[in-house]
Amino acid sequence: MVNQSIEKQPLGALFKSNFASGLVVFLVALPLCLGIALASGAPPLSGVISGIVGGIVIGFLSTSNISVSGPAAGLAAIVLESITSLGAFELFLCAGLIAGAIQLALGFLRMGSIAEYIPLAVIEGMLAGIGVIIIINQLPLAFGSDLKLREDGLDVFADLHLGSILVTVVSLIILISWDKIPGLKNLKLLPAALVAVAVGIFMNWMFINTNSGLAIPNNQLVQLPVPKSWGDMASLATFPNFSGFVWITGITIAIVASIETLLSIEAADRLDVHRRITDTNRELRAQGVGNMVCSAIGGLPVTSVVVRSSANANAGATHK
């Protein structure tokens, strides 16, 4: 049964109880947004745009209290193939508009109820699969290697970087032991993920300023274009090009994004300690509007994402 007092908290109390989780989700989501954009063959800024729209637009329209939306790793392969086949990111944005419109229509047709027929094993399998994919993709970076630089078939762990290994080890120790330290488990303003990120940043800052040779290489750091004028900012914007036929791509994205969203929403509802249930039809409509907004201003397609939602729940969030 839903705790009604949670829904009646004043704004100040809601902000206090959710500020730390929001900060953790931001720190988790930013590198994910950039990484998914790069893996999709899209401009890095498009991933950030999707993260912003997913958090603000979809967050406002959705009834889910835990789920967080943004660019999804599950769509990366489809997006990469679509951009490659279409030949231009601007054409792909038209497909995103079509996908959003289809999701909006599916929501009004009450197709979100299909989530009720998805077996629990599918949800657990999806969560496990996403976890394995993330581990595989991040493991080389944890050792200071970069798969994209190892296209000659050599061992990706041949060039180990001590600084990266030290940051990885310290971060894992924090994540594993934080909840076991008396008094820290319930300290929601200092969740383990946030502490690990802060310590990792501080360690690399120390490596750089002490000239120890342990500084993490620039190609493994988050990189964003920094506009120095309004003209530079305008040049970063990408808008749809309506000169191509992209209906098939749009329909494909709509189907995959809708299924991933429904599975993620089901998982997020299970993560909610207050057992609140999301209106899946409204969620599809929210995702549709979000995808249309994203595509109109140069962003990637978005879905509800388990990784960010679980980070939000584990950090003690009561609302998104």
Side-chain angles (χ1 to χ4, degrees):
M1 185 175 181
V2 176
N3 186 348
Q4 297 297 327
S5 63
I6 294 294
E7 308 301 328
K8 297 179 180 179
Q9 286 183 327
L11 184 60
L14 286 175
F15 178 83
K16 182 178 179 181
S17 60
N18 290 278
F19 174 79
S21 58
L23 185 57
V24 169
V25 171
F26 162 73
L27 293 171
V28 170
L30 181 57
L32 282 175
C33 290
L34 293 170
I36 291 171
L38 293 173
S40 303
L45 191 61
S46 64
V48 178
I49 291 172
S50 296
I52 295 172
V53 173
I56 297 177
V57 176
I58 297 179
F60 177 77
L61 297 174
S62 170
T63 60
S64 175
N65 293 281
I66 297 298
S67 171
V68 180
S69 296
L75 288 175
I78 296 174
V79 174
L80 177 60
E81 173 62 26
S82 300
I83 294 175
T84 302
S85 61
L86 293 173
F89 182 62
E90 292 81 1
L91 283 174
F92 173 77
L93 294 177
C94 296
L97 286 171
I98 294 172
I102 293 174
Q103 284 186 296
L104 187 62
L106 290 175
F108 281 114
L109 291 173
R110 305 188 67 80
M111 296 300 292
S113 58
I114 194 175
E116 299 175 4
Y117 302 97
I118 299 176
L120 179 59
V122 174
I123 298 171
E124 293 179 343
M126 181 195 70
L127 294 176
I130 290 174
V132 171
I133 291 172
I134 292 173
I135 291 172
I136 292 174
N137 289 337
Q138 296 303 313
L139 194 57
L141 294 175
F143 286 91
S145 180
D146 190 340
L147 286 172
K148 292 184 178 180
L149 300 179
R150 309 298 297 181
E151 296 176 353
D152 52 5
L154 297 178
D155 184 3
V156 297
F157 301 115
D159 299 325
L160 301 182
H161 189 274
L162 183 57
S164 298
I165 296 174
L166 287 174
V167 171
T168 298
V169 171
V170 171
S171 298
L172 286 174
I173 291 174
I174 293 172
L175 291 172
I176 294 172
S177 62
W178 190 257
D179 287 345
K180 297 179 175 61
I181 300 175
L184 294 180
K185 183 177 181 179
N186 298 320
L187 193 59
K188 298 303 183 183
L189 288 177
L190 283 176
L194 179 56
V195 175
V197 170
V199 171
I201 293 172
F202 177 75
M203 288 179 65
N204 194 48
W205 178 82
M206 289 293 294
F207 295 157
I208 294 172
N209 285 274
T210 57
N211 296 317
S212 61
L214 297 175
I216 296 175
N218 288 332
N219 63 357
Q220 295 187 24
L221 298 176
V222 175
Q223 303 287 344
L224 269 181
V226 180
K228 297 181 180 179
S229 64
W230 285 107
D232 290 344
M233 187 173 295
S235 66
L236 296 176
T238 306
F239 300 103
N241 180 350
F242 296 96
S243 62
F245 179 80
V246 292
W247 280 98
I248 300 300
T249 304
I251 293 171
T252 302
I253 293 172
I255 294 173
V256 176
S258 297
I259 292 174
E260 184 165 351
T261 287
L262 293 175
L263 288 173
S264 298
I265 285 295
E266 185 77 11
D269 285 349
R270 292 179 182 276
L271 291 171
D272 186 1
V273 296
H274 302 291
R275 298 294 183 264
R276 291 164 291 189
I277 303 301
T278 300
D279 182 341
T280 52
N281 295 308
R282 181 168 173 176
E283 184 67 28
L284 283 179
R285 296 196 293 271
Q287 295 288 335
V289 172
N291 273 317
M292 293 175 71
V293 172
C294 277
S295 299
I297 59 178
L300 290 172
V302 294
T303 72
S304 173
V305 187
V306 173
V307 175
R308 274 152 271 187
S309 301
S310 61
N312 193 36
N314 292 335
T318 59
H319 293 75
K320 60 182 181 301

